[in-house]
Amino acid sequence: MDINKKYLVDERQQPVAMQIPIAEFEQIEKILDSLERDKMLQEKDNWLNSDLSGLGEYEPYEWETGELEEGKPVKYVEGVGLVIESSDRS
C-alpha cells in the first residue's frame, strides 16, 4: 500500500508531524482493526485448545474473607443471553 504522506516541519526543518489523505488513513484503520480481530481470535483459539490436563496438580485457591463480593442476580433471556435482574422487584 502506497501512502501519500507530507511531512510537517518546525522552524529548524525537523519533522514534527505527518499528514496523509483521510481515505488512506481509513484504509490503515481497517487493516489494524482486522489484525486486532485476528489476534483476539487466535488468543481465544489458543486458550480453548490449551492442555488443561495438569490443573489437578495445583492446590485449590483459598479465597480470603471479603475477597468475593456477593454478585448480582442474573437471568437468561432467549436471543439476548444473561441479563442482570433489576433490584426493584415489585
Side-chain angles (χ1 to χ4, degrees), residues 56-72:
E57 300 169 13
Y58 295 96
E59 293 292 321
Y61 185 80
E62 297 295 330
W63 297 100
E64 297 291 326
T65 304
E67 194 170 0
L68 290 176
E69 299 290 328
E70 184 176 323
K72 295 181 179 181

Side-chain angles (χ1 to χ4, degrees), residues 31-71:
I31 291 168
L32 292 174
D33 287 345
S34 176
L35 290 172
E36 183 63 25
R37 267 193 309 280
D38 290 348
K39 179 183 174 190
M40 287 176 20
L41 289 173
Q42 184 62 49
E43 288 174 355
K44 181 188 83 165
D45 287 345
N46 289 347
W47 185 84
L48 290 173
N49 296 323
S50 62
D51 179 12
L52 302 177
S53 62
L55 286 180
E57 300 169 13
Y58 295 96
E59 293 292 321
Y61 185 80
E62 297 295 330
W63 297 100
E64 297 291 326
T65 304
E67 194 170 0
L68 290 176
E69 299 290 328
E70 184 176 323

Side-chain angles (χ1 to χ4, degrees), residues 68-80:
L68 290 176
E69 299 290 328
E70 184 176 323
K72 295 181 179 181
V74 296
K75 64 180 177 181
Y76 179 77
V77 176
E78 186 76 32
V80 176

